[in-house]
Amino acid sequence: MKLPIAIQLYSVRDDMEKDFEGTLKKVKELGYEGVEFAGLFGKSGLEVKALCDEIGLVPVSAHVPYYDMLENPEEVLKDYRDMGCKYVVVPYLTEECRPGTDGWDATVEGIGKIGKVAKEMGMLLLYHNHDFEFLKIDGKYALDILYDTVPADILETEIDTCWVNVGGEEPAAYVEKYTGRAPIVHLKDFSGSKGNGPLYKLIGIEEEETENKSTFEFRPVGSGVQNFPKIIEASEKAGANWVVVEQDDPSMGKTPIECAEMSIGYLKTL
């Protein structure tokens, strides 16, 4: 592995809530060099920076709710600037502002506005995709429309390779497509298929139960269907600075920390 490995702390969110400092120390012990935050659990950016410095972790980036950044970007992004994050990320879009809705055009415009503020504050905005951006509008994926509309100097990619696969595209090829615009690549594995059952419940989003059950399951990296040697090679070719392990929900009878350990253990063999 030439690329440094970070972990998206949403993967161990319950541990973070119970023991913020202890969990950061644990992921460092597992071999992760950096972290991507998903909430600060009441701590200030300067407090988090001091902890990361002490433990020896790089605060690479942070997932920050879209509406929070849109409403008051300078105030919200200040903590992440204080932490030393180079990147801030739009992590998810709620239904009313996704592609295929009346809110999509305003979302693209809003992302552009946030990107400009992030740049002024010395950071770079990234967009983290799911599968719903692979809706075609006039024959073109909404995700590609976003990147074609918002200039690269204020918006780059955080390609989630699991959701690219679920969306119907080949992950490695999609990473390479954004060569020069892909500083962080999300390594996420899965098994099964999307089916017709509620899928986003797995990432903490409330969905109505249906009779159709999805066989989809998030897995530790290297334990599912993804071709990670190919994805990592593509990430290197694309000029990525980091790869980030993310597992939204533990599986295989393992705890979140055990899953994180399995993921980095596999990556260290490559």
Side-chain angles (χ1 to χ4, degrees), residues 210-227:
T210 70
E211 292 182 3
N212 299 311
K213 298 299 181 184
S214 174
T215 61
F216 186 94
E217 179 181 71
F218 294 113
R219 289 282 184 90
V221 172
S223 303
V225 302
Q226 296 272 63
N227 184 342

mmCIF file with all atom_site columns, all heavy atoms in Angstrom, residues 210-227:
data_model
loop_
_atom_site.group_PDB
_atom_site.id
_atom_site.type_symbol
_atom_site.label_atom_id
_atom_site.label_alt_id
_atom_site.label_comp_id
_atom_site.label_asym_id
_atom_site.label_entity_id
_atom_site.label_seq_id
_atom_site.pdbx_PDB_ins_code
_atom_site.Cartn_x
_atom_site.Cartn_y
_atom_site.Cartn_z
_atom_site.occupancy
_atom_site.B_iso_or_equiv
_atom_site.pdbx_formal_charge
_atom_site.auth_seq_id
_atom_site.auth_comp_id
_atom_site.auth_asym_id
_atom_site.auth_atom_id
_atom_site.pdbx_PDB_model_num
ATOM 1   N N   . THR A 1 210 ? -40.619 -2.966  4.234  1.00 0.00 ? 210 THR A N   1
ATOM 2   C CA  . THR A 1 210 ? -41.387 -3.567  3.150  1.00 0.00 ? 210 THR A CA  1
ATOM 3   C C   . THR A 1 210 ? -41.319 -5.079  3.298  1.00 0.00 ? 210 THR A C   1
ATOM 4   O O   . THR A 1 210 ? -40.514 -5.613  4.062  1.00 0.00 ? 210 THR A O   1
ATOM 5   C CB  . THR A 1 210 ? -40.815 -3.178  1.772  1.00 0.00 ? 210 THR A CB  1
ATOM 6   O OG1 . THR A 1 210 ? -39.549 -3.833  1.600  1.00 0.00 ? 210 THR A OG1 1
ATOM 7   C CG2 . THR A 1 210 ? -40.644 -1.682  1.639  1.00 0.00 ? 210 THR A CG2 1
ATOM 8   N N   . GLU A 1 211 ? -42.175 -5.758  2.547  1.00 0.00 ? 211 GLU A N   1
ATOM 9   C CA  . GLU A 1 211 ? -42.152 -7.216  2.588  1.00 0.00 ? 211 GLU A CA  1
ATOM 10  C C   . GLU A 1 211 ? -40.910 -7.777  1.899  1.00 0.00 ? 211 GLU A C   1
ATOM 11  O O   . GLU A 1 211 ? -40.462 -8.878  2.193  1.00 0.00 ? 211 GLU A O   1
ATOM 12  C CB  . GLU A 1 211 ? -43.416 -7.775  1.924  1.00 0.00 ? 211 GLU A CB  1
ATOM 13  C CG  . GLU A 1 211 ? -44.696 -7.482  2.704  1.00 0.00 ? 211 GLU A CG  1
ATOM 14  C CD  . GLU A 1 211 ? -45.916 -8.101  2.044  1.00 0.00 ? 211 GLU A CD  1
ATOM 15  O OE1 . GLU A 1 211 ? -45.745 -8.805  1.024  1.00 0.00 ? 211 GLU A OE1 1
ATOM 16  O OE2 . GLU A 1 211 ? -47.024 -7.883  2.564  1.00 0.00 ? 211 GLU A OE2 1
ATOM 17  N N   . ASN A 1 212 ? -40.369 -7.020  0.967  1.00 0.00 ? 212 ASN A N   1
ATOM 18  C CA  . ASN A 1 212 ? -39.182 -7.472  0.244  1.00 0.00 ? 212 ASN A CA  1
ATOM 19  C C   . ASN A 1 212 ? -37.939 -7.198  1.083  1.00 0.00 ? 212 ASN A C   1
ATOM 20  O O   . ASN A 1 212 ? -37.675 -6.072  1.462  1.00 0.00 ? 212 ASN A O   1
ATOM 21  C CB  . ASN A 1 212 ? -39.057 -6.726  -1.093 1.00 0.00 ? 212 ASN A CB  1
ATOM 22  C CG  . ASN A 1 212 ? -40.247 -6.986  -1.985 1.00 0.00 ? 212 ASN A CG  1
ATOM 23  O OD1 . ASN A 1 212 ? -40.634 -8.125  -2.167 1.00 0.00 ? 212 ASN A OD1 1
ATOM 24  N ND2 . ASN A 1 212 ? -40.832 -5.918  -2.517 1.00 0.00 ? 212 ASN A ND2 1
ATOM 25  N N   . LYS A 1 213 ? -37.175 -8.218  1.351  1.00 0.00 ? 213 LYS A N   1
ATOM 26  C CA  . LYS A 1 213 ? -35.992 -8.081  2.185  1.00 0.00 ? 213 LYS A CA  1
ATOM 27  C C   . LYS A 1 213 ? -34.743 -7.976  1.315  1.00 0.00 ? 213 LYS A C   1
ATOM 28  O O   . LYS A 1 213 ? -34.542 -8.757  0.389  1.00 0.00 ? 213 LYS A O   1
ATOM 29  C CB  . LYS A 1 213 ? -35.865 -9.277  3.134  1.00 0.00 ? 213 LYS A CB  1
ATOM 30  C CG  . LYS A 1 213 ? -37.034 -9.410  4.099  1.00 0.00 ? 213 LYS A CG  1
ATOM 31  C CD  . LYS A 1 213 ? -37.161 -8.189  5.009  1.00 0.00 ? 213 LYS A CD  1
ATOM 32  C CE  . LYS A 1 213 ? -38.316 -8.337  5.988  1.00 0.00 ? 213 LYS A CE  1
ATOM 33  N NZ  . LYS A 1 213 ? -38.506 -7.142  6.811  1.00 0.00 ? 213 LYS A NZ  1
ATOM 34  N N   . SER A 1 214 ? -33.901 -7.013  1.632  1.00 0.00 ? 214 SER A N   1
ATOM 35  C CA  . SER A 1 214 ? -32.646 -6.869  0.918  1.00 0.00 ? 214 SER A CA  1
ATOM 36  C C   . SER A 1 214 ? -31.626 -7.846  1.490  1.00 0.00 ? 214 SER A C   1
ATOM 37  O O   . SER A 1 214 ? -31.571 -8.070  2.703  1.00 0.00 ? 214 SER A O   1
ATOM 38  C CB  . SER A 1 214 ? -32.136 -5.435  1.067  1.00 0.00 ? 214 SER A CB  1
ATOM 39  O OG  . SER A 1 214 ? -30.852 -5.311  0.495  1.00 0.00 ? 214 SER A OG  1
ATOM 40  N N   . THR A 1 215 ? -30.811 -8.436  0.628  1.00 0.00 ? 215 THR A N   1
ATOM 41  C CA  . THR A 1 215 ? -29.723 -9.304  1.089  1.00 0.00 ? 215 THR A CA  1
ATOM 42  C C   . THR A 1 215 ? -28.426 -8.526  1.261  1.00 0.00 ? 215 THR A C   1
ATOM 43  O O   . THR A 1 215 ? -27.392 -9.092  1.574  1.00 0.00 ? 215 THR A O   1
ATOM 44  C CB  . THR A 1 215 ? -29.493 -10.445 0.092  1.00 0.00 ? 215 THR A CB  1
ATOM 45  O OG1 . THR A 1 215 ? -29.113 -9.892  -1.184 1.00 0.00 ? 215 THR A OG1 1
ATOM 46  C CG2 . THR A 1 215 ? -30.742 -11.289 -0.080 1.00 0.00 ? 215 THR A CG2 1
ATOM 47  N N   . PHE A 1 216 ? -28.499 -7.227  1.028  1.00 0.00 ? 216 PHE A N   1
ATOM 48  C CA  . PHE A 1 216 ? -27.314 -6.373  1.087  1.00 0.00 ? 216 PHE A CA  1
ATOM 49  C C   . PHE A 1 216 ? -26.752 -6.312  2.508  1.00 0.00 ? 216 PHE A C   1
ATOM 50  O O   . PHE A 1 216 ? -27.500 -6.190  3.479  1.00 0.00 ? 216 PHE A O   1
ATOM 51  C CB  . PHE A 1 216 ? -27.695 -4.973  0.620  1.00 0.00 ? 216 PHE A CB  1
ATOM 52  C CG  . PHE A 1 216 ? -26.557 -4.015  0.495  1.00 0.00 ? 216 PHE A CG  1
ATOM 53  C CD1 . PHE A 1 216 ? -25.905 -3.840  -0.714 1.00 0.00 ? 216 PHE A CD1 1
ATOM 54  C CD2 . PHE A 1 216 ? -26.139 -3.271  1.586  1.00 0.00 ? 216 PHE A CD2 1
ATOM 55  C CE1 . PHE A 1 216 ? -24.862 -2.944  -0.844 1.00 0.00 ? 216 PHE A CE1 1
ATOM 56  C CE2 . PHE A 1 216 ? -25.098 -2.374  1.474  1.00 0.00 ? 216 PHE A CE2 1
ATOM 57  C CZ  . PHE A 1 216 ? -24.459 -2.204  0.257  1.00 0.00 ? 216 PHE A CZ  1
ATOM 58  N N   . GLU A 1 217 ? -25.409 -6.376  2.607  1.00 0.00 ? 217 GLU A N   1
ATOM 59  C CA  . GLU A 1 217 ? -24.756 -6.274  3.913  1.00 0.00 ? 217 GLU A CA  1
ATOM 60  C C   . GLU A 1 217 ? -23.393 -5.618  3.735  1.00 0.00 ? 217 GLU A C   1
ATOM 61  O O   . GLU A 1 217 ? -22.619 -5.997  2.857  1.00 0.00 ? 217 GLU A O   1
ATOM 62  C CB  . GLU A 1 217 ? -24.568 -7.675  4.513  1.00 0.00 ? 217 GLU A CB  1
ATOM 63  C CG  . GLU A 1 217 ? -23.872 -7.687  5.857  1.00 0.00 ? 217 GLU A CG  1
ATOM 64  C CD  . GLU A 1 217 ? -23.701 -9.101  6.390  1.00 0.00 ? 217 GLU A CD  1
ATOM 65  O OE1 . GLU A 1 217 ? -22.880 -9.867  5.838  1.00 0.00 ? 217 GLU A OE1 1
ATOM 66  O OE2 . GLU A 1 217 ? -24.397 -9.451  7.360  1.00 0.00 ? 217 GLU A OE2 1
ATOM 67  N N   . PHE A 1 218 ? -23.101 -4.618  4.535  1.00 0.00 ? 218 PHE A N   1
ATOM 68  C CA  . PHE A 1 218 ? -21.762 -4.042  4.540  1.00 0.00 ? 218 PHE A CA  1
ATOM 69  C C   . PHE A 1 218 ? -20.799 -5.051  5.157  1.00 0.00 ? 218 PHE A C   1
ATOM 70  O O   . PHE A 1 218 ? -21.152 -5.768  6.098  1.00 0.00 ? 218 PHE A O   1
ATOM 71  C CB  . PHE A 1 218 ? -21.731 -2.739  5.334  1.00 0.00 ? 218 PHE A CB  1
ATOM 72  C CG  . PHE A 1 218 ? -22.530 -1.625  4.716  1.00 0.00 ? 218 PHE A CG  1
ATOM 73  C CD1 . PHE A 1 218 ? -23.669 -1.131  5.323  1.00 0.00 ? 218 PHE A CD1 1
ATOM 74  C CD2 . PHE A 1 218 ? -22.151 -1.079  3.496  1.00 0.00 ? 218 PHE A CD2 1
ATOM 75  C CE1 . PHE A 1 218 ? -24.407 -0.113  4.756  1.00 0.00 ? 218 PHE A CE1 1
ATOM 76  C CE2 . PHE A 1 218 ? -22.883 -0.051  2.916  1.00 0.00 ? 218 PHE A CE2 1
ATOM 77  C CZ  . PHE A 1 218 ? -24.010 0.432   3.550  1.00 0.00 ? 218 PHE A CZ  1
ATOM 78  N N   . ARG A 1 219 ? -19.567 -5.074  4.656  1.00 0.00 ? 219 ARG A N   1
ATOM 79  C CA  . ARG A 1 219 ? -18.560 -6.015  5.128  1.00 0.00 ? 219 ARG A CA  1
ATOM 80  C C   . ARG A 1 219 ? -17.236 -5.299  5.383  1.00 0.00 ? 219 ARG A C   1
ATOM 81  O O   . ARG A 1 219 ? -16.951 -4.273  4.756  1.00 0.00 ? 219 ARG A O   1
ATOM 82  C CB  . ARG A 1 219 ? -18.333 -7.110  4.081  1.00 0.00 ? 219 ARG A CB  1
ATOM 83  C CG  . ARG A 1 219 ? -19.482 -8.109  3.921  1.00 0.00 ? 219 ARG A CG  1
ATOM 84  C CD  . ARG A 1 219 ? -19.474 -9.124  5.057  1.00 0.00 ? 219 ARG A CD  1
ATOM 85  N NE  . ARG A 1 219 ? -20.501 -10.147 4.883  1.00 0.00 ? 219 ARG A NE  1
ATOM 86  C CZ  . ARG A 1 219 ? -20.304 -11.295 4.238  1.00 0.00 ? 219 ARG A CZ  1
ATOM 87  N NH1 . ARG A 1 219 ? -19.133 -11.539 3.660  1.00 0.00 ? 219 ARG A NH1 1
ATOM 88  N NH2 . ARG A 1 219 ? -21.276 -12.183 4.160  1.00 0.00 ? 219 ARG A NH2 1
ATOM 89  N N   . PRO A 1 220 ? -16.380 -5.868  6.243  1.00 0.00 ? 220 PRO A N   1
ATOM 90  C CA  . PRO A 1 220 ? -15.016 -5.347  6.339  1.00 0.00 ? 220 PRO A CA  1
ATOM 91  C C   . PRO A 1 220 ? -14.336 -5.411  4.977  1.00 0.00 ? 220 PRO A C   1
ATOM 92  O O   . PRO A 1 220 ? -14.623 -6.303  4.164  1.00 0.00 ? 220 PRO A O   1
ATOM 93  C CB  . PRO A 1 220 ? -14.343 -6.293  7.340  1.00 0.00 ? 220 PRO A CB  1
ATOM 94  C CG  . PRO A 1 220 ? -15.476 -6.851  8.160  1.00 0.00 ? 220 PRO A CG  1
ATOM 95  C CD  . PRO A 1 220 ? -16.629 -6.960  7.200  1.00 0.00 ? 220 PRO A CD  1
ATOM 96  N N   . VAL A 1 221 ? -13.449 -4.484  4.720  1.00 0.00 ? 221 VAL A N   1
ATOM 97  C CA  . VAL A 1 221 ? -12.739 -4.437  3.443  1.00 0.00 ? 221 VAL A CA  1
ATOM 98  C C   . VAL A 1 221 ? -12.017 -5.767  3.221  1.00 0.00 ? 221 VAL A C   1
ATOM 99  O O   . VAL A 1 221 ? -11.311 -6.257  4.104  1.00 0.00 ? 221 VAL A O   1
ATOM 100 C CB  . VAL A 1 221 ? -11.744 -3.263  3.425  1.00 0.00 ? 221 VAL A CB  1
ATOM 101 C CG1 . VAL A 1 221 ? -10.858 -3.317  2.177  1.00 0.00 ? 221 VAL A CG1 1
ATOM 102 C CG2 . VAL A 1 221 ? -12.497 -1.938  3.480  1.00 0.00 ? 221 VAL A CG2 1
ATOM 103 N N   . GLY A 1 222 ? -12.227 -6.347  2.050  1.00 0.00 ? 222 GLY A N   1
ATOM 104 C CA  . GLY A 1 222 ? -11.620 -7.627  1.721  1.00 0.00 ? 222 GLY A CA  1
ATOM 105 C C   . GLY A 1 222 ? -12.485 -8.819  2.042  1.00 0.00 ? 222 GLY A C   1
ATOM 106 O O   . GLY A 1 222 ? -12.106 -9.962  1.761  1.00 0.00 ? 222 GLY A O   1
ATOM 107 N N   . SER A 1 223 ? -13.680 -8.589  2.599  1.00 0.00 ? 223 SER A N   1
ATOM 108 C CA  . SER A 1 223 ? -14.574 -9.686  3.008  1.00 0.00 ? 223 SER A CA  1
ATOM 109 C C   . SER A 1 223 ? -15.823 -9.776  2.144  1.00 0.00 ? 223 SER A C   1
ATOM 110 O O   . SER A 1 223 ? -16.718 -10.561 2.439  1.00 0.00 ? 223 SER A O   1
ATOM 111 C CB  . SER A 1 223 ? -14.990 -9.507  4.472  1.00 0.00 ? 223 SER A CB  1
ATOM 112 O OG  . SER A 1 223 ? -13.870 -9.447  5.317  1.00 0.00 ? 223 SER A OG  1
ATOM 113 N N   . GLY A 1 224 ? -15.881 -8.953  1.090  1.00 0.00 ? 224 GLY A N   1
ATOM 114 C CA  . GLY A 1 224 ? -17.071 -8.933  0.251  1.00 0.00 ? 224 GLY A CA  1
ATOM 115 C C   . GLY A 1 224 ? -16.733 -9.114  -1.210 1.00 0.00 ? 224 GLY A C   1
ATOM 116 O O   . GLY A 1 224 ? -15.821 -9.871  -1.552 1.00 0.00 ? 224 GLY A O   1
ATOM 117 N N   . VAL A 1 225 ? -17.431 -8.393  -2.073 1.00 0.00 ? 225 VAL A N   1
ATOM 118 C CA  . VAL A 1 225 ? -17.338 -8.623  -3.514 1.00 0.00 ? 225 VAL A CA  1
ATOM 119 C C   . VAL A 1 225 ? -16.408 -7.654  -4.243 1.00 0.00 ? 225 VAL A C   1
ATOM 120 O O   . VAL A 1 225 ? -16.121 -7.841  -5.430 1.00 0.00 ? 225 VAL A O   1
ATOM 121 C CB  . VAL A 1 225 ? -18.743 -8.538  -4.159 1.00 0.00 ? 225 VAL A CB  1
ATOM 122 C CG1 . VAL A 1 225 ? -19.679 -9.535  -3.523 1.00 0.00 ? 225 VAL A CG1 1
ATOM 123 C CG2 . VAL A 1 225 ? -19.317 -7.115  -4.064 1.00 0.00 ? 225 VAL A CG2 1
ATOM 124 N N   . GLN A 1 226 ? -15.922 -6.617  -3.573 1.00 0.00 ? 226 GLN A N   1
ATOM 125 C CA  . GLN A 1 226 ? -15.156 -5.583  -4.254 1.00 0.00 ? 226 GLN A CA  1
ATOM 126 C C   . GLN A 1 226 ? -13.743 -6.052  -4.627 1.00 0.00 ? 226 GLN A C   1
ATOM 127 O O   . GLN A 1 226 ? -13.104 -6.797  -3.867 1.00 0.00 ? 226 GLN A O   1
ATOM 128 C CB  . GLN A 1 226 ? -15.042 -4.346  -3.355 1.00 0.00 ? 226 GLN A CB  1
ATOM 129 C CG  . GLN A 1 226 ? -16.365 -3.667  -3.046 1.00 0.00 ? 226 GLN A CG  1
ATOM 130 C CD  . GLN A 1 226 ? -16.740 -2.635  -4.073 1.00 0.00 ? 226 GLN A CD  1
ATOM 131 O OE1 . GLN A 1 226 ? -16.947 -2.959  -5.240 1.00 0.00 ? 226 GLN A OE1 1
ATOM 132 N NE2 . GLN A 1 226 ? -16.848 -1.390  -3.663 1.00 0.00 ? 226 GLN A NE2 1
ATOM 133 N N   . ASN A 1 227 ? -13.250 -5.562  -5.768 1.00 0.00 ? 227 ASN A N   1
ATOM 134 C CA  . ASN A 1 227 ? -11.895 -5.864  -6.238 1.00 0.00 ? 227 ASN A CA  1
ATOM 135 C C   . ASN A 1 227 ? -10.966 -4.742  -5.770 1.00 0.00 ? 227 ASN A C   1
ATOM 136 O O   . ASN A 1 227 ? -10.724 -3.771  -6.488 1.00 0.00 ? 227 ASN A O   1
ATOM 137 C CB  . ASN A 1 227 ? -11.886 -5.982  -7.765 1.00 0.00 ? 227 ASN A CB  1
ATOM 138 C CG  . ASN A 1 227 ? -10.532 -6.395  -8.304 1.00 0.00 ? 227 ASN A CG  1
ATOM 139 O OD1 . ASN A 1 227 ? -9.506  -6.284  -7.638 1.00 0.00 ? 227 ASN A OD1 1
ATOM 140 N ND2 . ASN A 1 227 ? -10.520 -6.886  -9.534 1.00 0.00 ? 227 ASN A ND2 1
#
